[in-house]
Amino acid sequence: MHGEYKVPGGKLVVVDLEVEDGALRGVRVAGDFFLEPDEAILAINRALEGAPADTDAPGLAARVEAALPPGTVMFGLSAEGVAVAVRRALAHATDWTDYDWQLIHAGPQPPALHMALDEVITTEVAEGRRPPTLRVWEWGAPAVVIGSFQSLRNEVDPAGAERHGIQVVRRISGGGAMFIEPGNTITYSLSVPDSLVSGLSFADSYAYLDDWVLGALGDMGVKAWYQPLNDIATDAGKIAGAAQKRVVTGGGAVLHHVTMAYDIDADKMLDVLRIGREKLSDKGTKSAKKRVDPLRRQTGLAREAVIDRMIDSFRGRYGLTGGEVTDEEMARAEELARTKFGTEEWTARVP
């Protein structure tokens, strides 16, 4: 069995092993990490040898930590990263490069249709009728997108939304409200087979699926990192929020979508969103305006250039061919937008 895991902000960990009589055998850990002293790698292998195959990731990490020689220094590696690589090997997890990725980047579309396309495309990936897909959104209108479980009245000021001509839609994933203006927002979705995140905890899957965009931002001079559970942040503030939804039909799939602030009208946002004191306190800030620091200022690039560089970065890492939404997928999405995502019943399902 073979498992790979890139430690967030670190290096690649590779584990090869067998399972005999319910225990790990022939464990070999490798990778492009740095580790001192040399014998520490042998200690890690010995710590994992004979471990019950059903040991969870924290249990495996504890075995590794206990076996490390005094004074061991890890760079780009962690005991938790080794444990995750083991669990991915046992789960027969796939890797990014195992797939022929497809890009969808169409013209502006209504907010409700974007919600529907996420559901349709991810279901198609789960059923094996579509390859793993990166979809970059173009917004046809301003919107507030609320999480699947948020209270509509608690999140949105209806008078402010009406005053600014902003539609409110509810997505299928959890998480918080996003304030959207077409020229000020960069949004993308990853629809991936469940096997890509096999062996990862829910939290680890966020970091794993965000890793490529952190690299893309780094290439643009933005030092960004994953901030649990679902933010991408820099020293200057938050620049993006992610959300996920699991689809359990077929072979299973994960929808991971991210909204990034390219620019922002903070006064308008505060006129539309109801951001409570408790939430601001949790973020350790005094003003909602300081919570988000747009990419326009941090990169100095046009929005289209940021998107192009992100796509190029993904293509360089994993390969990416151009595609489009099929006629059948669009028909299903348009029907869902009409009967579900564009209805008051869905939008106000949590009043």
Side-chain angles (χ1 to χ4, degrees):
M1 300 177 186
H2 179 86
E4 298 186 2
Y5 178 61
K6 185 180 182 300
V7 176
K11 299 292 186 176
L12 182 68
V13 183
V14 180
V15 175
D16 291 284
L17 57 84
E18 302 294 337
V19 175
E20 297 178 5
D21 298 325
L24 308 187
R25 299 298 179 192
V27 181
R28 300 180 304 280
V29 176
D32 61 352
F33 48 79
F34 300 91
L35 180 63
E36 295 287 350
D38 284 351
E39 56 266 26
I41 191 69
L42 301 178
I44 292 172
N45 291 340
R46 286 194 298 268
L48 297 170
E49 189 74 18
D54 60 357
T55 307
D56 61 14
L60 293 170
R63 291 175 72 108
V64 171
E65 287 281 5
L68 292 174
T72 294
V73 176
M74 297 179 172
F75 184 75
L77 175 69
S78 66
E80 292 77 13
V82 173
V84 170
V86 171
R87 294 308 315 170
R88 284 178 60 76
L90 293 167
H92 301 283
T94 54
D95 185 67
W96 295 85
T97 55
D98 292 333
Y99 300 104
D100 295 323
W101 290 88
Q102 186 172 112
L103 170 69
I104 295 175
H105 188 190
Q109 292 163 322
L113 184 59
H114 277 306
M115 306 300 111
L117 283 168
D118 263 356
E119 180 171 322
V120 169
I121 288 172
T122 307
T123 299
E124 289 297 284
V125 172
E127 295 287 353
R129 293 188 291 263
R130 159 174 284 281
T133 299
L134 168 64
R135 184 170 75 91
V136 179
W137 304 21
E138 294 294 345
W139 292 90
V144 168
V145 183
I146 59 175
S148 181
F149 310 107
Q150 286 189 295
S151 162
L152 176 61
R153 70 166 68 99
N154 287 348
E155 298 300 325
V156 182
D157 184 324
E162 182 177 2
R163 185 161 48 249
H164 297 290
I166 292 176
Q167 179 183 358
V168 181
V169 292
R170 185 185 294 274
R171 61 181 183 265
I172 59 174
S173 62
M178 308 301 295
F179 177 73
I180 305 295
E181 291 186 294
N184 290 345
T185 307
I186 297 173
T187 303
Y188 68 85
S189 301
L190 286 170
S191 297
V192 307
D194 185 69
S195 58
L196 184 63
V197 296
S198 293
L200 299 178
S201 68
F202 189 78
D204 286 340
S205 71
Y206 273 85
Y208 185 69
L209 295 176
D210 279 339
D211 186 69
W212 74 274
V213 82
L214 300 184
L217 291 168
D219 292 341
M220 288 181 266
V222 178
K223 181 175 174 52
W225 58 86
Y226 162 71
Q227 183 169 296
L229 171 66
N230 62 332
D231 287 350
I232 297 174
T234 70
D235 286 332
K238 173 181 172 179
I239 57 174
Q244 288 186 3
K245 176 67 176 179
R246 262 61 175 175
V247 173
V248 297
T249 61
V254 177
L255 167 66
H256 179 92
H257 44 199
V258 175
T259 293
M260 312 179 79
Y262 172 73
D263 205 349
I264 193 166
D265 185 332
D267 290 326
K268 186 185 295 185
M269 179 185 73
L270 293 178
D271 199 31
V272 175
L273 296 184
R274 288 174 169 160
I275 303 176
R277 291 182 179 179
E278 182 177 352
K279 187 169 184 178
L280 293 179
S281 176
D282 287 345
K283 298 295 184 179
T285 64
K286 296 180 180 179
S287 169
K289 296 181 183 180
K290 296 179 181 179
R291 287 180 53 207
V292 179
D293 194 71
L295 284 172
R296 180 178 181 177
R297 187 194 67 78
Q298 294 202 44
T299 65
L301 297 171
R303 176 181 176 275
E304 293 75 15
V306 173
I307 292 173
D308 287 345
R309 293 199 185 190
M310 288 170 55
I311 291 172
D312 287 344
S313 181
F314 192 102
R315 182 180 290 113
R317 283 174 171 237
Y318 310 125
L320 190 63
T321 58
E324 59 186 16
V325 179
T326 68
D327 291 342
E328 181 181 349
E329 289 169 340
M330 183 58 77
R332 288 168 54 200
E334 288 173 343
E335 178 69 7
L336 271 178
R338 184 181 67 82
T339 61
K340 178 178 179 179
F341 294 103
T343 67
E344 182 68 16
E345 180 182 8
W346 170 259
T347 304
R349 76 186 187 101
V350 183

